[in-house]
Amino acid sequence: MPCSTRTRSSSSIPKDTLRASQLSVLPMAGGERAGGRATRLQSNRADAGLRLPARPARRRARLSSPGAGRSSAAREALRRRLLGLIEGNRVMIFSKSYCPHSTRVKELFSSLGVACNILELDQVDDGANVQEVLSEITNQRTVPNIFVNKVHMGGCDRTFQAHQSGLLQKLLQEDSAYDYDLIVIGGGSGGLACAQEAAILGKKVMVLDFVVPSPQGTSWGLGGTCVNVGCIPKKLMHQAALLGQALRDARKFGWEYSQQVKHTWETMTEAIQNHIGSLNWGYRLSLREKAVAYVNSYGEFVEHHKIKATNRKGQETCYTAAKFVLATGQRPRYLGIQGDKEYCITSDDLFSLPYCPGKTLVVGASYVALECAGFLAGIGLDVTIMVRSILLRGFDQEMAEKVGSYMEQHGVKFLRKFVPVLVQQLEKGSPGKLKVVAKSTEGPETIEEIYNTVLLAIGRDSCTRKIGLEKIGVKINEKSGKIPVNDVEQTNVPYVYAVGDILEGKLELTPVAIQAGKLLARRLFAGRLEKCDYVNVPTTVFTPLEYGCCGLSEEKAIEMYKKENLEVYHTLFWPLEWTVAGRDNNTCYAKIICNKLDNYRVIGFHVLGPNAGEVTQGFAAAMKCGLTKQLLDDTIGIHPTCGEVFTTLEITKSSGLDITQKGC
């Protein structure tokens, strides 16, 4: 079908009124440092041809009160005046009269016949303060610093790039109106958080969300990976496995039961999917209450500020927006071998699998691989993990090996240094039978084995390559598909932002996406300045023995600070709940990594034990506040708990002393 365009009259839709304080800037590729002793405001009309004298007349324009020390009220007044210039002019250029980059930009607008207002930062009193406040507004300390219809273009290079792509001409259409203030592409955690916050702030918002079915045909509702095929069902299945262990422990605590205990996969998955369904409905209801338009269609850019939405029936509709937020997330990666997409499943399929997977091979050593293998083994299945190299890449490797060792001791088999090269179906069924041929990564050896289910958990790919980003010039990392952004989640195209797992160099965690989405909406539409802090973000791997961490791994800490500048305190511990049950003394482990050169500040926190997520969350807040070893020593622990072990750490790794425990 042809692409139909939705339009609104300019009287019914306000123009984009994005304030400069809500915008961010991309790093400049050239230009002068914004500074000097003063600035001058020149109003240049199109008929004047923007031909500036080599040295403008020295009429001084005082934008703020002089003086080295400025009160907060005076500073805010200057900020408002600068914002007034930005919002009150179609084109506002902060410049230097002698800067060649500034001259090029002025000549560009002159050739387009566009009137500009220019503030020369070397020709006005109190220029240092003007420079400082302007840099706070834009995060840019170079000139020229250009705004077009209140949208921050950046500097000379970015403006010329926008002119070549047609974006500049689009922004210069003074009377243009858009269907929406904001369109969010992706209905996951980050996208929904951003959309709802923008709607609360009075903006007209749309969310486009469409789940492309997995190769096995699995699809799901609103809410993204975390709710449907990630954190929520994973933690609930992990809980199912923990309950199995609790049943075994119960007899030691006096509970007597004679009936045979068994697990029913279908009962578990039905209950979990019912809960997820209620969450999907809750998200839809929340969007409706906030007047956010939800469209279950696949979004793809067709030109600047315009997106095509294609529904399940193939019907296409186009929408326009002043700004866009990309929150498309990631999907599981496949091996690229014969039989992988035909016969293997991923985490996209596992949590709603209509039958028990039976004997399972988990391929991969990511946290997804270990978590899934852990709860499948915990409900009584025969599970093997095939590992290409190391466990939990990116995490502390001492902790990763302890996680693997515990799983191996409790029945999970590991095939190390092997990769699958062929998956062949031997029998159909629910489950059927699959033959897996694998090759050693260290030699010519091959092995083969028969499984009921093969689960791939070898990583995830960003969903950025098929949404038309190339049509509007948004840059992505061609190798990973990730999107580079600046420190306020802005892409290289000024009106396009991104949050969540698709960001290059950022953490792939649901709470991070939610925080970034909310703060982004507040910056765009409420004049707020707070940025998402990606440092010291806590997380937990929900393996049979949980692993919680915050801050640096020991390897990363050594790389950054050098081993001689660190002190590592550690201990094994025995949870009281495990003593009567007779479980695994000297298996749980705690360690902190301290920077000797910074008052023994805790830069890495790691715990392996029950309820590790709950333990880690509180210590993460303390690390945000600058937690030191002395502060931990001064903290009175809650007895008897696992968390109290961090208030009594005494043994350092460098001492080589024994850390095994004899009692609670």
Side-chain angles (χ1 to χ4, degrees):
M1 292 182 62
C3 182
S4 60
T5 304
R6 297 171 59 89
T7 59
R8 288 187 355 181
S9 68
S10 58
S11 60
S12 63
I13 296 241
K15 283 201 312 178
D16 176 14
T17 55
L18 185 60
R19 294 175 179 272
S21 61
Q22 301 153 5
L23 287 168
S24 56
V25 78
L26 296 142
M28 295 295 298
E32 295 274 344
R33 283 279 174 187
R37 51 196 176 84
T39 60
R40 171 182 171 84
L41 179 65
Q42 286 188 333
S43 181
N44 297 278
R45 299 300 177 190
D47 56 1
L50 266 175
R51 296 191 179 278
L52 301 176
R55 193 73 172 172
R58 293 184 175 270
R59 183 179 66 81
R60 294 184 177 270
R62 189 181 298 280
L63 290 181
S64 57
S65 57
R70 297 180 52 80
S71 70
S72 58
R75 190 179 190 82
E76 183 58 31
L78 175 56
R79 178 189 178 86
R80 286 196 300 270
R81 293 187 186 191
L82 290 175
L83 293 176
L85 291 175
I86 293 163
E87 295 186 11
N89 293 288
R90 183 186 182 195
V91 176
M92 185 68 219
I93 301 175
F94 296 93
S95 171
K96 276 188 176 181
S97 62
Y98 55 84
C99 169
H101 303 286
S102 299
T103 301
R104 286 185 64 208
V105 167
K106 295 167 192 173
E107 290 173 349
L108 171 64
F109 284 106
S110 176
S111 69
L112 296 173
V114 176
C116 305
N117 277 355
I118 302 169
L119 196 63
E120 301 288 9
L121 297 187
D122 58 332
Q123 298 292 316
V124 167
D125 290 342
D126 207 14
N129 283 323
V130 173
Q131 171 202 349
E132 188 175 350
V133 174
L134 183 62
S135 68
E136 288 176 2
I137 291 172
T138 65
N139 286 338
Q140 177 181 329
R141 297 188 64 84
T142 55
V143 294
N145 200 335
I146 303 147
F147 289 83
V148 177
N149 275 334
K150 310 168 195 69
V151 173
H152 186 231
M153 297 302 301
C156 178
D157 290 349
R158 288 287 165 81
T159 302
F160 273 86
Q161 289 168 9
H163 177 246
Q164 291 170 2
S165 70
L167 174 59
L168 179 60
Q169 293 85 327
K170 185 92 173 176
L171 291 173
L172 285 169
Q173 295 173 8
E174 270 189 294
D175 297 324
S176 64
Y178 301 110
D179 298 328
Y180 291 90
D181 299 307
L182 174 69
I183 290 180
V184 177
I185 307 171
S189 303
L192 290 177
C194 183
Q196 293 186 84
E197 191 71 16
I200 290 170
L201 295 171
K203 298 303 174 183
K204 187 172 183 184
V205 182
M206 170 183 278
V207 171
L208 286 172
D209 185 62
F210 186 88
V211 179
V212 177
S214 75
Q216 297 299 326
T218 309
S219 189
W220 51 86
L222 185 63
T225 295
C226 173
V227 167
N228 294 281
V229 290
C231 314
I232 299 301
K234 176 268 300 291
K235 180 75 182 290
L236 291 172
M237 289 192 175
H238 172 62
Q239 176 64 13
L242 293 181
L243 288 172
Q245 179 66 57
L247 283 169
R248 293 190 289 275
D249 291 350
R251 294 187 188 275
K252 298 287 185 69
F253 283 89
W255 289 96
E256 297 178 4
Y257 48 90
S258 56
Q259 67 190 79
Q260 182 183 1
V261 176
K262 67 173 186 176
H263 183 268
T264 304
W265 176 271
E266 291 80 7
T267 301
M268 175 184 70
T269 54
E270 181 181 0
I272 289 173
Q273 290 304 313
N274 286 341
H275 176 65
I276 290 172
S278 71
L279 296 177
N280 297 149
W281 173 248
Y283 283 124
R284 294 189 68 164
L285 188 63
S286 181
L287 292 179
R288 186 183 305 168
E289 289 173 346
K290 295 177 177 64
V292 175
Y294 163 56
V295 177
N296 184 205
S297 295
Y298 188 89
E300 181 182 355
F301 285 97
V302 291
E303 61 181 71
H304 281 297
H305 290 280
K306 180 185 281 190
I307 198 160
K308 176 179 69 176
T310 307
N311 66 17
R312 295 184 187 279
K313 297 179 180 179
Q315 297 168 327
E316 299 174 355
T317 307
C318 286
Y319 304 93
T320 61
K323 293 169 187 63
F324 291 83
V325 171
L326 309 176
T328 49
Q330 300 187 105
R331 297 291 293 272
R333 186 176 302 144
Y334 284 79
L335 288 163
I337 63 172
Q338 183 179 334
D340 62 346
K341 290 187 177 179
E342 293 86 352
Y343 308 123
C344 300
I345 67 170
T346 69
S347 56
D348 279 358
D349 312 293
L350 178 64
F351 301 111
S352 59
L353 200 66
Y355 54 84
C356 180
K359 181 181 178 181
T360 301
L361 173 68
V362 177
V363 181
S366 64
Y367 70 89
V368 175
L370 298 188
E371 288 173 337
C372 291
F375 67 66
L376 290 175
I379 62 174
L381 302 185
D382 182 338
V383 178
T384 300
I385 301 176
M386 186 176 288
V387 181
R388 177 176 59 87
S389 54
I390 62 173
L391 303 182
L392 296 177
R393 185 178 300 278
F395 288 86
D396 186 284
Q397 283 303 291
E398 179 183 28
M399 305 302 290
E401 283 303 316
K402 287 181 180 294
V403 166
S405 176
Y406 182 89
M407 293 178 69
E408 200 159 15
Q409 290 168 20
H410 288 77
V412 177
K413 296 183 283 292
F414 282 81
L415 274 172
R416 298 208 180 223
K417 307 294 184 181
F418 276 90
V419 293
V421 293
L422 170 68
V423 179
Q424 181 180 0
Q425 186 180 63
L426 300 180
E427 292 181 16
K428 293 183 178 180
S430 301
K433 286 187 178 180
L434 301 172
K435 182 174 80 171
V436 177
V437 179
K439 184 180 184 301
S440 170
T441 62
E442 297 181 330
E445 182 185 2
T446 61
I447 58 173
E448 61 180 60
E449 182 62 78
I450 296 173
Y451 302 93
N452 298 118
T453 300
V454 177
L455 171 68
L456 304 181
I458 57 172
R460 300 171 67 83
D461 291 320
S462 298
C463 301
T464 56
R465 300 186 190 275
K466 297 181 180 179
I467 58 173
L469 296 182
E470 71 283 355
K471 294 176 184 174
I472 60 170
V474 173
K475 293 178 181 177
I476 67 171
N477 182 313
E478 289 302 327
K479 182 178 179 180
S480 67
K482 298 251 183 180
I483 300 178
V485 295
N486 61 8
D487 62 350
V488 284
E489 290 80 45
Q490 187 182 39
T491 72
N492 65 298
V493 174
Y495 64 87
V496 180
Y497 298 79
V499 296
D501 292 357
I502 59 175
L503 298 190
E504 186 173 54
K506 300 294 191 293
L507 297 166
E508 299 174 7
L509 296 169
T510 295
V512 172
I514 292 171
Q515 179 83 332
K518 284 183 178 179
L519 294 178
L520 173 58
R522 291 170 188 170
R523 288 195 304 273
L524 292 179
F525 303 118
R528 301 279 289 275
L529 298 175
E530 294 88 349
K531 304 171 188 176
C532 185
D533 185 358
Y534 293 94
V535 177
N536 283 344
V537 175
T539 191
T540 295
V541 182
F542 290 98
T543 38
L545 189 57
E546 297 176 8
Y547 165 35
C549 60
C550 183
L552 301 177
S553 66
E554 193 168 343
E555 294 84 4
K556 191 66 176 177
I558 291 171
E559 178 187 325
M560 291 178 64
Y561 296 102
K562 297 185 179 178
K563 189 171 184 177
E564 60 268 25
N565 297 322
L566 303 174
E567 195 71 87
V568 179
Y569 294 85
H570 68 151
T571 188
L572 294 164
F573 65 96
W574 197 13
L576 181 64
E577 297 86 342
W578 289 19
T579 56
V580 171
R583 290 177 57 193
D584 305 302
N585 189 10
N586 290 308
T587 298
C588 298
Y589 180 68
K591 77 172 175 181
I592 58 171
I593 305 161
C594 300
N595 182 0
K596 293 180 184 178
L597 303 181
D598 188 12
N599 196 29
Y600 281 74
R601 183 170 58 88
V602 178
I603 58 174
F605 175 96
H606 303 269
V607 60
L608 185 67
N611 304 303
E614 310 298 339
V615 174
T616 304
Q617 184 68 78
F619 285 102
M623 288 180 67
K624 283 284 187 186
C625 299
L627 180 67
T628 64
K629 179 62 169 65
Q630 186 62 53
L631 286 170
L632 278 175
D633 293 343
D634 294 343
T635 301
I636 297 174
I638 302 170
H639 187 69
T641 65
C642 293
E644 72 172 319
V645 70
F646 287 97
T647 68
T648 59
L649 289 172
E650 295 178 344
I651 300 175
T652 65
K653 266 194 175 183
S654 58
S655 72
L657 295 175
D658 182 23
I659 59 171
T660 57
Q661 301 295 303
K662 304 301 186 290
C664 69

